[in-house]
Amino acid sequence: DGGITQSPKYLFRKEGQNVTLSCEQNLNHDAMYWYRQDPGQGLRLIYYSQIVNDFQKGDIAEGYSVSREKKESFPLTVTSAQKNPTAFYLCASSIFPTGGLTEAFFGQGTRLTVV
Amino acid sequence: AQTVTQSQPEMSVQEAETVTLSCTYDTSESDYYLFWYKQPPSRQMILVIRQEAYKQQNATENRFSVNFQKAAKSFSLKISDSQLGDAAMYFCALPGEGSRLTFGEGTQLTVNP
């Protein structure tokens, strides 16, 4: 079955550590996105990528980094510079990089907690 | 910059009745799409319905329909014959550059038996 897989489902980070969240899709989608969701709030865009080896900052990119070495994969690293990383992280992909002609498909999310 | 506003943080409805969730937005584009997503307790985001701005006719998907008022920049979601499984957080979303979605704050819908 085609879809988006995020791992792990739950992740715990100690203060000062970097952690990487995995996102893999087999939908052959060009564009991929990372969103952050805090309790009672909507989703905010961290980074997005329209094509391999290229990505752009979203609204809240500080303290995060990404790479897009393969079309299928778009990992997100939460660095120690992110002061409040505890949140729910959602990865998404869409078939067209522009125009919004199709909806974004989402993974099941990763819950990151700082301990 | 695009904005999406959902002014109802919480709504409740009795099973089998109808409820309407509100959404207003702002964009400088003349042709665009609008989406409603549902996020149940599993937290999986599910597309409920989409509307193309150049289409006059309001979109309908089974029990879900929209009231799209382009001049007023309003995009409300009507759920008819509400079911217990409709209980979820609902988000209105507007695509922008690179199809990046701008989301509203969400409306938590409770369905009472």
Side-chain angles (χ1 to χ4, degrees), chain A:
Chain A
D1 288 339
I4 300 178
T5 302
Q6 288 186 242
S7 61
K9 189 173 182 179
Y10 299 97
L11 186 58
F12 298 89
R13 191 194 93 169
K14 292 183 179 179
E15 295 276 357
Q17 280 185 338
N18 293 354
V19 290
T20 297
L21 283 60
S22 172
C23 178
E24 302 277 335
Q25 55 99 358
N26 60 5
L27 299 168
N28 200 32
H29 284 174
D30 296 299
M32 297 187 74
Y33 314 83
W34 274 106
Y35 292 91
R36 170 178 170 145
Q37 186 178 22
D38 293 285
Q41 297 189 30
L43 282 67
R44 293 182 291 168
L45 183 67
I46 304 172
Y47 269 98
Y48 66 106
S49 169
Q50 299 180 27
I51 195 170
V52 174
N53 293 324
D54 188 40
F55 48 84
Q56 288 77 40
K57 292 182 178 180
D59 301 316
I60 55 166
E62 185 175 353
Y64 300 97
S65 65
V66 294
S67 63
R68 187 86 187 276
E69 297 177 1
K70 298 186 299 181
K71 188 175 184 177
E72 302 79 19
S73 178
F74 191 42
L76 173 74
T77 297
V78 184
T79 74
S80 57
Q82 171 51 238
K83 298 306 180 187
N84 185 23
T86 295
F88 187 66
Y89 292 86
L90 281 161
C91 180
S93 69
S94 64
I95 191 168
F96 290 114
T98 59
L101 294 173
T102 63
E103 74 273 20
F105 291 82
F106 285 82
Q108 292 184 307
T110 294
R111 173 69 183 176
L112 174 63
T113 303
V114 174
V115 296

Side-chain angles (χ1 to χ4, degrees), chain A residues 33 35 37 40-43 45 48 50 59 88 90 94 96-104 106-108, chain B residues 32-33 35 37 39 42-47 50 89 91 95-106:
Chain A
Y33 314 83
Y35 292 91
Q37 186 178 22
Q41 297 189 30
L43 282 67
L45 183 67
Y48 66 106
Q50 299 180 27
D59 301 316
F88 187 66
L90 281 161
S94 64
F96 290 114
T98 59
L101 294 173
T102 63
E103 74 273 20
F106 285 82
Q108 292 184 307
Chain B
Y32 49 89
Y33 293 76
F35 301 109
Y37 279 89
Q39 188 180 43
S42 68
R43 307 200 78 171
Q44 174 74 54
M45 294 286 283
I46 302 164
L47 178 70
R50 88 180 83 192
M89 181 75 86
F91 292 99
E97 178 186 343
S99 288
R100 49 182 290 177
L101 289 168
T102 300
F103 287 87
E105 303 88 343

